[in-house]
């Protein structure tokens, strides 16, 4: 094995962006609908509250903020659901299953936001470091059912030793986010300012939030060391992606099941015993021959 191949195998984030894109395309309707429903519902409620003056506008900001927290939890739950290659939970079930985590997600997001902002204002580098080590706090809360405070330590534990890989992946996602926002800004540039800002926020959030959730959740699963337990993992246990052996759309892994179209292994992981051979048929009964008459073979 060459050094380059070895480094790629040891990189738990190899193929994350490509795999996230393939999953995004495959489950776009499901993921985008979740994001759109939450965004539109929050926008309607916030719009009605804003009619009540200053207090209503303040409450509208809170509604939109908590809608963003709910969206994060719901999208991570949705990605957890579709890892087996199909969406088993409906949109309503996904949102309901993620609702219990909204307070933990809110607390962790607010604390992380305050600390990261302070770090970026001071020297920038501390803020970037915090963004990296806390990259998977939301998947930790939703998937591992961790508390808000415990999620920080767990995320740092998962990222330890792979900080540059995580940071590089987040930088690429940030660049993608900027490019999409620029394109949407050009598309909506002909609209009035109020409409342009509102539509740009809803459309951008609806399109980008699912992809970010996919990337962050896939990073979590790789760092947690469970990549080989889902269809996006290669047969040798290294994280794989779409089109790789054992991955979505790829050939089945050599030497055993694990990809689509192959039967699951029996419980326990051992092959079933061969069937016992059928017993041999019983021997035919002896033929009957009458005894020869005494004194010869004929009458005299």
């Amino acid at each position: 094995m060459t050094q380059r191949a070895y480094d790629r195998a040891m990189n738990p984030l190899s193929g994350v962006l490509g795999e996230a894109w393939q999953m995004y395309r495959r489950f776009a309707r499901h993921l985008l609908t979740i994001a759109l429903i939450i965004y539109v519902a929050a926008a309607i409620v916030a719009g009605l509250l804003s009619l009540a003056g200053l207090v209503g506008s303040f409450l509208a900001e809170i509604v939109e903020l908590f809608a963003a927290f709910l969206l994060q939890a719901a999208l991570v739950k949705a990605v957890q659901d579709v890892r087996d290659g199909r969406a088993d939970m409906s949109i309503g079930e996904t949102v309901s299953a993620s609702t219990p985590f909204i307070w933990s997600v809110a607390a962790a997001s607010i604390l992380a936001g305050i600390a990261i902002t302070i770090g970026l204002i001071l020297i920038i580098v501390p803020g970037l470091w915090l963004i990296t080590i806390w990259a998977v706090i939301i998947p930790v809360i939703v998937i591992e059912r961790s508390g808000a405070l415990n999620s920080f330590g767990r995320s740092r534990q998962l990222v330890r030793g792979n900080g540059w890989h995580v940071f590089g992946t987040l930088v690429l996602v940030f660049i993608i986010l900027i490019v999409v926002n620029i394109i949407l800004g050009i598309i909506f540039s002909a609209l009035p300012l109020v409409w342009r800002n509102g539509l740009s926020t809803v459309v951008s959030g609806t399109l980008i939030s699912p992809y970010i959730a996919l990337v962050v959740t896939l990073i979590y699963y790789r760092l947690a060391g469970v990549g080989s337990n889902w269809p996006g993992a290669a047969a040798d246990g290294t994280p794989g992606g779409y089109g790789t052996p054992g991955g979505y759309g790829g050939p089945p892994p050599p030497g055993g099941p694990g990809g689509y179209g192959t039967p699951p292994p029996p419980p326990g992981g051992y092959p079933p015993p061969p069937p016992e051979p059928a017993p041999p048929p019983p021997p035919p009964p002896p033929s009957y021959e009458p005894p020869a008459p005494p004194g010869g073979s004929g009458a005299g």
Side-chain angles (χ1 to χ4, degrees):
M1 177 183 296
T2 64
Q3 183 65 33
R4 181 177 180 181
Y6 176 80
D7 292 340
R8 178 175 176 82
M10 294 301 293
N11 178 6
L13 306 182
S14 59
V16 166
L17 296 180
E19 186 163 5
W21 172 243
Q22 294 297 329
M23 291 182 70
Y24 182 93
R25 292 173 56 191
R26 178 170 183 178
F27 299 103
R29 180 178 179 181
H30 184 69
L31 298 174
L32 295 179
T33 302
I34 293 174
L36 182 61
I37 288 175
I38 294 178
Y39 266 111
V40 171
I44 293 174
V45 174
L48 294 176
L49 289 174
S50 62
L51 299 176
L54 184 60
V55 176
S57 299
F58 176 73
L59 294 177
E61 293 291 336
I62 295 179
V63 168
E64 291 180 341
L65 185 63
F66 274 84
F69 298 147
L70 176 61
L71 178 61
Q72 293 180 62
L75 289 176
V76 171
K77 176 61 69 174
V79 176
Q80 181 187 21
D81 175 38
V82 301
R83 285 178 62 242
D84 61 354
R86 63 181 183 274
D88 300 308
M89 302 172 63
S90 66
I91 294 174
E93 291 171 340
T94 302
V95 175
S96 298
S98 59
T99 302
F101 304 105
I102 187 172
W103 294 109
S104 296
V105 170
S109 298
I110 292 173
L111 292 175
I114 294 173
I116 291 171
T117 301
I118 294 175
L120 292 174
I121 292 175
L122 292 178
I123 318 178
I124 297 181
V125 174
L128 298 178
W129 180 70
L130 293 178
I131 290 174
T132 302
I133 66 172
W134 293 343
V136 293
I137 56 175
I138 306 303
V140 166
I141 292 174
V142 176
I143 298 173
E144 298 187 3
R145 300 177 179 270
S146 173
L149 296 179
N150 293 334
S151 66
F152 291 96
R154 174 59 174 162
S155 178
R156 181 178 182 181
Q157 177 188 18
L158 291 172
V159 174
R160 182 179 292 118
N162 297 287
W164 284 112
H165 297 314
V166 174
F167 178 74
T169 304
L170 296 179
V171 168
L172 292 176
V173 172
F174 181 70
I175 294 174
I176 294 173
L177 176 62
I178 293 177
V179 171
V180 172
N181 284 329
I182 292 175
I183 294 174
L184 291 177
I186 296 174
I187 294 175
F188 296 130
S189 60
L191 297 176
L193 180 61
V194 177
W195 284 97
R196 181 168 69 242
N197 292 339
L199 284 177
S200 178
T201 300
V202 173
V203 174
S204 174
T206 301
L207 293 177
I208 297 176
S209 295
Y211 184 74
I212 295 176
L214 281 164
V215 172
V216 172
T217 308
L218 291 178
I219 289 175
Y220 162 80
Y221 277 114
R222 281 163 166 74
L223 296 177
V226 295
S228 59
N229 294 332
W230 59 294
D236 59 358
T238 57
Y242 284 72
T244 59
Y248 292 108
Y260 287 115
T262 56
Y270 296 97
E276 297 182 0
S287 59
Y288 175 76
E289 296 182 0
S297 59

